[in-house]
Amino acid sequence: MKVIDGTNEPGTTSARVPERSLAASARRAQIVEAAIETLAESGYGQATFVRIGQRAGISSTRLISYHFGTKGELMDAVLEEVGLRAHRTISQRVAGETTAAGALRTRIEAQVEWVARNPSSVRAMYEICMNDRDAEGSLRYGLETSARANVEALEPILRAGQESGEFRQFDTGLMALTLKSAIDAAIVRMARPPRLTLTQCVHELTVLADLATRREK
């Protein structure tokens, strides 16, 4: 199909540009979603443009290459989309809280619940972080990126709690790392025997956070 530039071709209008943009965005989203499912099901090594195209119902890999020039670009888009989904869901939950204690409790609940309910997205992110490498063979991401994001999300809540007098005085960086590590451990316990339920993990984590941060009387 010929791509028509509405500014140069007779009989066309600029109204077609938004239409093409919407179509291109929809196609990109379709490819990213197919990549997430392929990564989760088959792993990074098997997540080729051919497999991703088959899952997306695309007959030619050239269409994927048109939107994402390389596998690395597509993996970047997957990580960005997964991160945005998690951020939107968790942030919306936390936004309704009026206290630091409530925000901390709700963030922990929302994060663990999001991981438990979105296994394909979590697996896709893990596959990319642990396998995507640059030209020199070094990991492009590793798990440090997501770990840093989680710590950076927790620290402002902890600082706000200290400023409001809800929380005792402690090193907010160390506390954020501690809570982040506890969350990671709980997520593992949900996946590996002896398994804990989502409810059990959330309860233990929120009790831990409350006991660790509450103001001493």
Side-chain angles (χ1 to χ4, degrees):
M1 181 178 70
K2 183 179 179 182
V3 177
I4 300 175
D5 183 346
T7 60
N8 297 322
E9 292 288 335
T12 64
T13 67
S14 59
R16 295 196 179 188
V17 176
E19 291 176 5
R20 291 201 302 273
S21 297
L22 287 173
S25 296
R27 178 65 79 182
R28 284 175 62 89
Q30 179 187 16
I31 294 169
V32 168
E33 190 61 39
I36 290 173
E37 295 301 325
T38 303
L39 283 161
E41 181 179 289
S42 305
Y44 180 87
Q46 299 300 315
T48 63
F49 276 13
V50 171
R51 285 177 177 264
I52 293 169
Q54 290 173 342
R55 184 175 287 273
I58 296 172
S59 58
S60 173
T61 59
R62 286 182 296 177
L63 187 55
I64 300 179
S65 299
Y66 173 79
H67 292 282
F68 306 97
T70 65
K71 183 175 180 176
E73 289 180 20
L74 177 53
M75 297 301 103
D76 291 343
V78 168
L79 284 184
E80 181 179 6
E81 177 61 23
V82 171
L84 285 173
R85 290 179 185 180
H87 175 73
R88 282 195 297 263
T89 300
I90 297 169
S91 296
Q92 287 172 0
R93 292 271 299 275
V94 175
E97 297 295 333
T98 58
T99 66
L104 181 59
R105 180 182 63 255
T106 301
R107 176 169 179 83
I108 292 172
E109 291 175 351
Q111 183 173 343
V112 177
E113 288 175 5
W114 190 88
V115 169
R117 292 168 181 169
N118 296 273
S120 293
S121 292
V122 174
R123 183 66 186 179
M125 181 175 64
Y126 179 83
E127 286 292 322
I128 295 171
C129 289
M130 298 307 295
N131 293 286
D132 196 38
R133 298 178 181 274
D134 59 23
E136 285 71 42
S138 299
L139 287 174
R140 295 177 63 216
Y141 292 101
L143 297 178
E144 292 79 10
T145 301
S146 60
R148 184 168 59 251
N150 288 333
V151 169
E152 290 174 353
L154 287 167
E155 259 203 284
I157 299 175
L158 298 172
R159 286 196 296 269
Q162 289 181 333
E163 292 170 1
S164 67
E166 295 175 65
F167 296 159
R168 65 180 179 83
Q169 291 302 307
F170 48 75
D171 184 277
T172 57
L174 178 58
M175 183 63 73
L177 282 169
T178 301
L179 293 176
K180 181 264 175 192
S181 297
I183 292 169
D184 289 347
I187 290 170
V188 170
R189 284 299 303 274
M190 284 194 297
R192 299 177 184 173
R195 289 182 173 87
L196 293 178
T197 66
L198 172 60
T199 300
Q200 288 173 316
C201 286
V202 168
H203 174 73
E204 293 298 336
L205 287 170
T206 52
V207 169
L208 172 66
D210 176 58
L211 293 174
T213 59
R214 70 168 55 171
R215 187 174 181 178
E216 298 170 349
K217 296 180 180 179

